[in-house]
Amino acid sequence: MADNIKRTVVITGGSRGIGRAICLALAGPDARIYFNYFSPGNEAVEKAAADETEKLVAAAGGSAAGISVNVASKEEVTAFFEKITGETDRIDVLVNNAGITKDGLLVRMNEKDWDDVISVNLKGTFYCTKIAAKTMMKQRYGRIINIASVVGVTGNAGQANYAASKAGIIGLTKTAAKELAPRNITVNAVAPGFIETDMTAVLSDKTREAMLGQVPLGRAGKPEDVAAAVLFLASEGACYITGQVIHVSGGMYI
């Protein structure tokens, strides 16, 4: 990629938490950042969070545009990427971060909770990767980073749908890495462990204590810890790394 061309960076789920930290890590005068947000029934709050992400990126010297997109919808994802390529004519980095949880024991889990999590987490990653890869193949350059989870490797009671979706993302990552490598496109995954986010803030003290007991470093991670791994994988320093899963978990999985 020529030095005088701004990188086009796409991050799903960028309005808060890990997604926002990734937007900020990749922000700068050399990048144009696009991110999506989506929270049906909570649109005003999510729009305000997206606006805050845009402001923080601007304060960091970059530019960001947040757009409401349901990544589980093929039509919305297609329109999202058509807008981006229509404005920039390229996609250099894609970070598939959008995800939801609907926890419950396997024998009690209803089909809708299963389908919703798989649709957003796994199918959304599939849609975004497939569409972005077509542009990356034409330009013969790209970095795709998928946010998986430690539970996609270890499993976790009460999270059959979430663990399955994240395990699927790992399999998708490895397959896409093999298919896209000839076009100079790397595909890797980052697997966070127990990270301080809105998703983990609702856990009970007992659950938090139990989870921290599984972390050799003895503390929860921060969104910035995950963003640092993404920043590296998106850099030229990682140009010979593909098909890998980097665990950012304080040693939860060794």
Side-chain angles (χ1 to χ4, degrees):
M1 188 176 67
D3 292 337
N4 61 341
I5 297 178
K6 282 191 174 184
R7 293 202 306 173
T8 298
V9 179
V10 183
I11 300 161
T12 66
S15 61
R16 61 177 73 246
I18 291 173
R20 175 183 285 176
I22 293 170
C23 286
L24 292 173
L26 295 176
D30 64 336
R32 290 172 291 200
I33 293 176
Y34 293 83
F35 67 92
N36 90 298
Y37 61 93
F38 187 72
S39 184
N42 205 23
E43 290 88 352
V45 173
E46 205 63 33
K47 176 64 166 60
D51 290 345
E52 181 64 17
T53 296
E54 290 182 357
K55 292 177 183 177
L56 290 170
V57 169
S63 63
I67 304 167
S68 178
V69 177
N70 178 9
V71 296
S73 166
K74 181 180 179 182
E75 292 73 23
E76 291 191 33
V77 171
T78 300
F80 179 48
F81 280 95
E82 285 179 348
K83 173 180 174 58
I84 294 168
T85 54
E87 293 179 1
T88 71
D89 199 35
R90 62 186 303 110
I91 298 171
D92 299 290
V93 179
L94 167 65
V95 183
N96 286 304
N97 168 71
I100 62 171
T101 58
K102 291 192 175 182
D103 296 348
L105 294 175
L106 175 64
V107 296
R108 298 177 183 173
M109 185 174 290
N110 63 57
E111 190 172 350
K112 184 177 187 306
D113 287 350
W114 172 273
D115 288 344
D116 286 350
V117 171
I118 296 297
S119 292
V120 172
N121 298 7
L122 182 55
K123 187 179 283 187
T125 298
F126 162 71
Y127 284 150
C128 293
T129 300
K130 178 180 179 180
I131 295 172
K134 291 180 180 179
T135 297
M136 291 178 175
M137 289 173 72
K138 291 177 183 177
Q139 65 197 28
R140 289 186 170 273
Y141 177 88
R143 299 282 184 268
I144 299 174
I145 301 111
N146 299 323
I147 305 302
S149 170
V150 66
V151 304
V153 178
T154 65
N156 193 39
Q159 290 193 308
N161 48 4
Y162 185 75
S165 72
K166 295 301 185 175
I169 286 173
I170 291 172
L172 174 61
T173 297
K174 292 179 178 291
T175 299
K178 290 185 176 182
E179 293 185 4
L180 299 175
R183 296 298 182 98
N184 194 34
I185 301 167
T186 64
V187 189
N188 292 287
V190 175
F194 184 33
I195 308 296
E196 294 284 8
T197 64
D198 292 346
M199 195 178 289
T200 59
V202 299
L203 298 175
S204 67
D205 290 342
K206 183 178 179 180
T207 300
R208 288 175 61 86
E209 186 176 328
M211 292 189 71
L212 286 174
Q214 302 175 45
V215 182
L217 284 180
R219 63 174 178 83
K222 299 177 181 179
E224 291 77 14
D225 296 323
V226 180
V230 172
L231 178 62
F232 170 65
L233 290 173
S235 74
E236 291 308 299
C239 67
Y240 201 58
I241 299 173
T242 196
Q244 303 305 304
V245 181
I246 295 181
H247 287 263
V248 183
S249 64
M252 279 183 79
Y253 177 78
I254 296 177

